[in-house]
C-alpha cells in the first residue's frame, strides 16, 4: 500500500502541484514570521544586554503609593544618595543618570526619529564608559552637546556644527562638541540620542541636583549580588530599590520578547487564515483525486485491501505532499524573514545588526504545519472513499450525495448559522469590554455555518446570474450548469475567496466608520483653530502657552494642564484650563448646569459625575499633590469624549499646588481662523521648533486615524496571501474539473462547439464561482463590520456605520479578476483537448 501511494503521488505530479503551492505559501508565512520576529528580538536583546555592561547594580527611586488623602509621588535621588552609593562596600564607582525627551532636527529642520525615539541624557565627567567618543570631546556647559554616530551620519552632522533641538518647548542651538557610539535600541531603530554635561541635563530635564537613576560599578572581586546586598544595607529601603545589571538585562529581554509577541501573533493569525483557506483546496484536491481513482480503489478493495488500508494509502499521499510543501515552505519562509528585515531598512526603519535566527522550533513548526494541515484535509476524502462498496464504485453508483447526507448538512449549517447570528446580536447589546469574546465566538459559528450551507446557497445565487450568462449563448448556459453540477466542490472553491473578502470588507467598514467618527468628534468637541503639543505627546513648557497668549493674532488660548489628586480616597487626574477662554475653544454638550470654570467652580464629565454621584451644585474636597486640600463646586456636567474629559478647573486655582507645572497641549483660536498662512505664522512664532506640533482639526483626526489606516493597509497586504491561495484553489479545481470532464468536452467539440466557445465556457464558470464567493464574503464582511461597530459605539458616541460602496465595488471586481485569471490555464487546456482522444478517455 505504501508503494502504491508513492506511485500515485508521482503519477499525479501536475495535479498535486497546486496543492503543494497552497500549503507552501501558508507554511512560508508561518516560518517567515517566526524567522523575522526571532531575528529582531534576538538583535534587540543582544543590543540591550550590551547596554548594561557598565551597570552592575542600578538604584532607582521607589514610588510612594497614594493612600488616604495623600497623593502618591516618587522621591528624588539626591547627590547625598549618590555619595552614599559610591562609598558602599564593594562599589568601585557610581554614576548619576539623567534622561528625558530631546528632539533633534536635521539640517532641513525636520525632526529626527519621529519624536517617540528622540532621547537625551547626561555625559558623566570627561570620559563616560557608557558612551565611547569617536570624535571631539565631552560637552562643557549649556552651549555644547554630544550626538550619536548614527544620527550624525543620517543628518550629516560633524563636530563643530550647530544643531537645533528642544527639550520641552524653547529652541536650543548648541554646538556639537563630539560624536559617540551606543548600543541603545532606540537609536538602532532610527531614533536619536543627545548628551549634555550633567548640570545642563539636570536643568533642562527639571532635575536640578537630582538623578533618575544611579548606576553602580562593582570593584574587582565583588559580584553583582554581593554589591546589591551592600547597597540595600547602605541606602534607605523605603526610598529606593536596587536591581542587578543581570536582572535588568533579563527584564529588558522579557520586555522585548513581550513586545514582539504582539507582532508575531498578528502575523501568525494571517498565516493561519492562509492555511485555513489552503485547507479547502487540499480537501478539494484529494476529493477529486479520490473520485477519479474510485474504480482503482474499488479494485484494490476487491483483491483484498481493507478500508483502513485504502484510507491509509490516501493519507500517505497527503503525508508526502505535506512534507514536500513543509520543506519548501520553510526555505521560502527563511527568504521571507530575511526579505522583511531588508524591507524595513528600505523604509528607513533600522535595527541592531545580528544574524538571521532559525531556531529548531521554527523548523519543527514549518514541517508540522505542512504535514498536519495536509493530512487532516485529506482524511475525510480518504475515509469517504474507503466506505464505498467495491461493486458500487466499479459501476459509479456512489457518484451523487444521498438526500439524507444533504439534509443533514443543511440542518447543521442552518443551526450553526442561526446560533452565530444569535450570539453576535446578543453581543452587540453589551459594552465593548464584555462583548468582544462573545462576538468572536459568534463570528466563528456563523462562518462555519455559512461554509456548511454554501452548497445550498450556491444554486439560487448562481441562478441569479442566468440572465447575464444567456448573453453568451451555449457557453453561458453550460457554464451555469457546470457551476451547480457539484455544489460541494463549488462551495469549497468559493469559500476560500469568501473568507479573505469577509475579513477585508469587515475591516474596511470598521476603518471607514471609525474615521468618520473621529472626524465628527474633532469637529463637534473643538472650536479651537489649532492644538499645540510636543511631538512625543510629552509635557510642554508653560512658556509656550505664555508665548502663544502674547501673539497679537491669537484671540483665545488655553493650556491643558494635568495633575494627580485624591478625591474620596480615589486617585483622579485634574485638567487645568484657562477658565475665561475654554468655552470659546470647546463645544462640549452640557447636560446639567453651565460650562463655567473659574475659582472653585469646576465642570465634570458624565462618567465622573455618575461615579461620584455628583450633579450641578454638588461640592467635593480635592487633595492636591502639595498636601493641601480645597472644596470645589460642580458648575456643570458635560458629555466627555476621548479627546476631552475629566474634571476641569481654572489653572489659577490648580497651578499654585504644583511643584513642576507643565502642559499636555495648548488650544488656540486665531483672528483669521485656520489657514496655511496662519499655521505657518504660528509655527514661526514658536521658533520653527522641531519638537512642537501645530495641528488643526483635520490634522488631529488624521493623526488618530493614521494607526487604523496603517493597520488596514497592512491587513490588505497580508490578506493578499489568502487571495493568492484562493486563486490557486480556483485554478486547481478548474484544472481537475476539466480533466474529469474530458470525455464530455470532447463530445461537445464533436457536435460543433469550437475552441473559443470551450474557453469561454470554462472562463465563465470560473467567473461565476469567484463572484459567488465574493458576494458571500462582502455580505458577511458588512454584517461583521456593523456588529463590531455596535460594540465600538458603546465607547464612541459619534460612531455610525459608513458603508464604503466604492471599495466594495473594487472588492467585487477583484473577485471577478481572480476568476478570470484563474481560468486562463484550465480554459486553454480544455480548448486544446483532442476530441477523439477525449471521447475515448475513461
Amino acid at each position: 500500500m505504501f508503494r502504491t501511494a508513492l506511485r500515485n503521488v508521482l503519477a499525479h505530479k501536475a495535479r498535486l502541484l497546486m496543492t503543494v503551492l497552497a500549503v507552501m505559501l501558508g507554511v512560508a508565512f508561518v516560518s517567515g514570521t517566526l524567522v523575522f520576529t526571532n531575528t529582531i528580538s534576538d538583535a534587540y536583546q543582544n543590543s540591550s544586554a550590551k547596554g548594561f555592561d557598565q551597570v552592575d547594580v542600578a538604584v532607582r527611586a521607589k514610588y510612594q503609593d497614594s493612600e488616604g488623602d495623600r497623593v502618591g509621588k516618587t522621591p528624588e535621588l539626591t547627590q547625598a544618595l549618590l555619595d552614599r552609593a559610591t562609598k558602599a562596600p564593594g562599589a568601585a564607582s557610581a554614576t548619576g543618570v539623567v534622561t528625558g525627551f530631546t528632539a533633534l532636527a536635521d539640517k532641513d529642520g525636520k525632526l529626527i526619529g519621529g519624536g517617540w525615539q528622540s532621547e537625551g541624557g547626561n555625559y558623566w565627567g570627561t570620559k563616560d564608559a557608557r558612551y565611547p567618543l569617536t570624535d571631539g570631546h565631552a560637552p562643557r556647559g549649556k552651549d555644547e552637546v554630544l550626538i550619536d554616530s548614527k544620527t550624525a551620519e543620517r543628518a550629516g552632522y560633524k563636530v563643530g556644527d550647530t544643531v537645533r533641538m528642544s527639550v520641552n518647548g524653547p529652541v536650543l542651538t548648541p554646538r556639537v562638541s563630539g560624536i559617540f557610539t551606543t548600543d541603545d535600541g532606540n537609536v538602532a531603530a532610527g531614533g536619536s540620542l543627545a548628551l549634555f554635561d550633567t548640570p545642563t541635563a539636570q536643568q533642562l530635564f527639571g532635575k536640578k541636583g537630582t538623578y533618575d537613576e544611579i548606576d553602580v560599578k562593582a570593584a574587582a572581586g565583588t559580584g553583582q549580588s554581593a554589591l546589591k546586598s551592600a547597597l540595600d544595607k547602605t541606602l534607605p529601603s523605603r526610598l529606593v530599590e536596587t536591581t542587578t545589571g543581570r536582572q535588568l538585562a533579563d527584564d529588558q529581554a522579557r520586555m522585548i520578547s513581550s513586545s514582539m509577541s504582539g507582532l508575531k501573533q498578528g502575523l501568525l493569525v494571517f498565516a493561519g487564515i492562509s492555511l485555513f483557506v489552503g485547507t479547502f483546496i487540499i480537501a478539494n484536491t484529494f476529493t477529486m483525486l479520490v473520485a477519479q481513482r474510485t474504480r482503482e480503489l474499488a479494485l484494490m478493495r476487491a483483491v483484498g485491501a481493507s478500508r483502513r488500508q485504502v484510507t491509509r494509502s490516501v493519507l500517505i499521499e497527503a503525508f508526502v505532499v505535506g512534507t514536500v510543501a513543509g520543506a519548501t515552505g520553510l526555505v521560502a519562509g527563511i527568504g521571507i524573514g530575511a526579505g522583511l528585515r531588508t524591507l524595513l531598512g528600505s523604509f528607513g526603519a533600522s535595527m541592531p545588526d545580528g544574524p538571521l535566527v532559525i531556531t529548531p522550533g521554527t523548523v519543527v513548526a514549518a514541517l508540522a504545519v505542512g504535514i498536519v494541515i495536509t493530512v487532516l484535509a485529506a482524511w475525510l476524502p480518504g475515509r469517504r472513499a474507503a466506505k464505498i462498496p467495491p461493486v458500487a464504485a466499479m459501476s459509479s453508483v456512489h457518484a451523487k450525495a444521498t438526500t439524507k447526507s444533504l439534509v443533514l448538512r443543511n440542518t447543521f449549517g442552518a443551526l450553526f448559522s442561526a446560533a452565530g447570528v444569535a450570539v453576535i446580536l446578543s453581543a452587540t447589546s453589551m459594552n465593548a469590554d464584555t462583548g468582544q469574546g462573545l462576538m468572536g465566538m459568534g463570528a466563528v459559528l456563523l462562518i462555519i455555518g455559512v461554509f456548511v450551507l454554501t452548497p445550498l446557497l450556491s444554486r439560487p445565487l448562481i441562478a441569479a446570474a442566468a440572465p447575464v450568462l444567456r448573453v453568451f449563448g451555449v457557453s453561458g448556459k453550460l457554464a451555469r450548469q457546470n457551476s451547480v453540477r457539484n455544489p460541494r466542490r463549488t462551495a469549497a472553491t468559493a469559500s476560500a475567496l469568501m473568507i479573505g473578502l469577509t475579513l477585508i470588507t469587515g475591516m474596511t467598514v470598521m476603518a471607514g466608520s471609525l474615521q468618520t467618527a473621529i472626524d465628527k468628534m474633532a469637529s463637534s468637541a473643538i472650536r479651537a483653530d489649532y492644538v499645540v503639543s510636543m511631538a512625543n505627546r510629552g509635557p510642554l513648557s508653560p512658556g509656550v502657552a505664555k508665548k502663544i497668549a502674547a501673539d497679537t493674532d491669537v484671540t483665545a488660548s488655553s493650556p491643558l494642564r494635568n495633575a494627580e489628586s485624591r478625591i474620596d480616597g480615589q486617585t483622579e487626574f485634574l485638567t487645568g484650563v484657562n477658565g475665561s477662554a475654554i468655552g470659546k475653544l470647546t463645544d462640549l454638550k452640557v447636560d446639567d448646569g453651565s460650562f463655567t470654570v473659574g475659582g472653585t467652580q469646576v465642570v465634570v464629565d458624565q462618567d465622573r459625575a455618575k461615579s461620584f454621584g455628583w450633579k450641578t451644585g454638588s461640592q467635593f474636597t480635592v487633595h492636591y499633590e502639595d498636601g493641601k486640600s480645597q472644596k470645589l463646586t460642580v458648575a456643570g456636567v458635560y458629555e466627555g469624549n476621548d479627546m476631552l474629559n475629566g474634571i476641569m478647573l481654572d489653572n489659577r486655582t490648580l497651578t499654585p499646588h504644583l511643584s513642576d507645572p507643565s502642559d499636555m497641549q495648548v488650544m488656540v483660536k486665531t483672528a483669521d481662523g485656520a489657514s496655511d498662512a496662519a499655521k505657518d505664522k504660528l509655527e514661526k512664532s514658536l521658533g520653527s521648533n522641531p519638537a512642537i506640533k501645530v495641528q488643526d482639526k483635520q490634522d488631529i483626526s488624521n493623526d488618530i486615524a493614521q494607526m487604523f489606516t496603517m493597520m488596514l493597509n497592512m491587513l490588505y497586504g497580508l490578506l493578499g496571501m489568502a487571495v493568492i491561495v484562493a486563486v490557486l484553489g480556483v485554478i486547481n479545481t478548474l484544472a481537475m474539473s476539466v480533466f474529469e470532464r474530458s470525455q464530455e468536452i470532447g463530445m461537445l467539440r464533436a457536435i460543433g462547439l469550437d475552441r473559443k466557445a470551450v474557453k469561454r465556457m470554462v472562463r465563465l464558470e470560473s467567473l461565476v464561482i469567484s463572484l459567488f464567493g465574493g458576494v458571500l464574503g462582502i455580505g458577511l464582511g458588512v454584517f461583521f463590520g456593523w456588529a463590531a461597530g455596535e460594540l465600538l459605539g458603546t465607547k464612541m458616541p459619534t460612531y455610525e456605520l459608513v458603508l464604503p460602496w466604492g471599495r466594495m465595488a473594487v472588492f467585487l471586481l477583484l473577485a471577478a479578476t481572480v476568476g478570470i485569471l484563474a481560468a486562463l490555464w484550465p480554459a486553454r487546456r480544455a480548448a486544446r483537448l483532442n476530441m477523439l482522444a477525449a471521447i475515448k478517455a475513461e
Side-chain angles (χ1 to χ4, degrees), residues 69 105 258 340 364 440 645 800 812:
D69 295 333
S258 176
L340 284 173
V364 171
N645 56 57
E800 65 176 44
L812 202 58

Side-chain angles (χ1 to χ4, degrees), residues 347-540:
F347 285 150
S350 55
M351 64 184 71
D353 294 328
L356 204 64
V357 178
I358 305 164
T359 64
T362 300
V363 176
V364 171
L367 291 174
V369 165
I371 294 169
V372 171
I373 291 291
T374 310
V375 170
L376 284 178
W379 176 76
L380 190 60
R383 184 170 173 272
R384 192 183 296 142
K387 290 174 71 175
I388 301 170
V391 176
M394 287 180 182
S395 59
S396 300
V397 174
H398 69 289
K400 293 184 180 180
T402 63
T403 305
K404 180 182 175 182
S405 69
L406 291 173
V407 170
L408 198 62
R409 177 181 181 125
N410 293 338
T411 302
F412 273 117
L415 288 173
F416 270 92
S417 299
V421 171
V423 170
I424 289 172
L425 291 177
S426 64
T428 58
S429 62
M430 302 178 181
N431 61 49
D433 297 322
T434 57
Q436 286 180 8
L438 195 64
M439 182 163 290
M441 184 177 72
V444 171
L445 288 173
L446 181 55
I447 286 178
I448 292 173
V450 171
F451 170 65
V452 175
L453 280 177
T454 307
L456 180 66
L457 297 172
S458 64
R459 289 187 177 277
L461 287 177
I462 291 176
V468 178
L469 292 174
R470 286 197 194 100
V471 175
F472 298 95
V474 175
S475 296
K477 183 178 180 180
L478 289 170
R480 185 182 65 80
Q481 291 174 347
N482 289 335
S483 301
V484 296
R485 176 186 294 183
N486 192 331
R488 288 183 175 182
R489 186 187 302 166
T490 298
T493 307
S495 294
L497 193 59
M498 176 192 79
I499 290 168
L501 285 178
T502 295
L503 293 167
I504 290 174
T505 305
M507 287 299 295
T508 303
V509 169
M510 284 181 61
S513 301
L514 279 170
Q515 176 69 66
T516 304
I518 292 165
D519 289 342
K520 276 189 175 182
M521 190 186 297
S523 60
S524 64
I526 300 174
R527 285 182 184 171
D529 295 321
Y530 300 105
V531 174
V532 178
S533 62
M534 293 295 285
N536 70 332
R537 298 297 181 190
L540 189 66

Side-chain angles (χ1 to χ4, degrees), residues 38-86:
N38 287 339
T39 298
I40 295 178
S41 181
D42 186 71
Y44 273 109
Q45 286 178 19
N46 291 338
S47 175
S48 67
K50 290 178 186 176
F52 294 112
D53 286 347
Q54 300 300 319
V55 183
D56 285 318
V57 178
V59 180
R60 292 170 176 170
K62 186 185 291 183
Y63 179 74
Q64 308 297 304
D65 291 328
S66 305
E67 56 183 32
D69 295 333
R70 184 176 63 82
V71 176
K73 61 180 179 179
T74 303
E76 295 177 333
L77 296 179
T78 61
Q79 184 64 40
L81 285 173
L82 176 64
D83 294 338
R84 287 173 67 177
T86 306

Side-chain angles (χ1 to χ4, degrees), residues 17 31 92 170 185 244 248 374 427 462 506 539 560 601 693 717 749 828:
L17 177 62
S31 53
T244 63
L248 287 173
T374 310
I462 291 176
L560 270 61
Q601 298 279 98
K693 295 170 74 173
R749 289 288 318 284
R828 185 168 178 269

Side-chain angles (χ1 to χ4, degrees), residues 579-775:
S580 61
I582 192 66
K584 302 173 186 176
L585 300 165
T586 59
D587 191 16
L588 298 166
K589 184 181 177 183
V590 179
D591 293 332
D592 188 21
S594 62
F595 202 82
T596 304
V597 180
T600 59
Q601 298 279 98
V602 303
V603 292
V604 300
D605 66 358
Q606 287 175 325
D607 291 340
R608 289 345 180 261
K610 185 178 180 181
S611 174
F612 287 100
W614 295 335
K615 58 184 179 180
T616 300
S618 296
Q619 292 188 324
F620 61 92
T621 301
V622 61
H623 300 272
Y624 299 106
E625 67 173 47
D626 63 355
K628 295 181 181 179
S629 60
Q630 187 177 30
K631 189 162 281 188
L632 302 176
T633 303
V634 177
V637 178
Y638 67 93
E639 290 185 7
N641 54 50
D642 289 340
M643 294 184 180
L644 294 167
N645 56 57
I647 303 169
M648 292 188 193
L649 71 163
D650 197 290
N651 272 323
R652 285 174 293 186
T653 304
L654 175 64
T655 304
H657 300 285
L658 305 181
S659 58
D660 184 24
S662 59
D663 304 322
M664 295 310 295
Q665 59 187 35
V666 182
M667 302 179 79
V668 184
K669 196 166 186 64
T670 59
D672 298 329
S675 66
D676 290 340
K679 185 177 181 179
D680 289 342
K681 190 173 182 181
L682 187 58
E683 287 175 340
K684 286 177 182 176
S685 71
L686 295 172
S688 299
N689 196 321
I692 293 180
K693 295 170 74 173
V694 178
Q695 297 177 296
D696 59 22
K697 293 178 192 178
Q698 193 57 49
D699 292 334
I700 295 169
S701 178
N702 293 342
D703 210 21
I704 298 171
Q706 187 176 11
M707 179 179 67
F708 301 113
T709 304
M710 188 187 305
M711 286 175 60
L712 192 63
N713 289 337
M714 187 182 294
L715 184 76
Y716 286 158
L718 293 172
L719 287 178
M721 181 74 75
V723 173
I724 292 171
V725 174
V727 171
L728 291 175
V730 178
I731 295 173
N732 210 17
T733 300
L734 288 172
M736 298 187 75
S737 179
V738 166
F739 178 83
E740 266 186 4
R741 303 199 316 258
S742 295
Q743 193 176 53
E744 176 188 318
I745 293 170
M747 190 66 71
L748 289 170
R749 289 288 318 284
I751 61 175
L753 198 68
D754 61 15
R755 288 185 174 183
K756 190 178 291 185
V758 170
K759 281 185 182 180
R760 190 182 306 123
M761 176 186 72
V762 176
R763 287 171 186 163
L764 288 173
E765 181 182 346
S766 175
L767 181 63
V768 167
I769 293 173
S770 297
L771 285 175
F772 169 55
V775 169

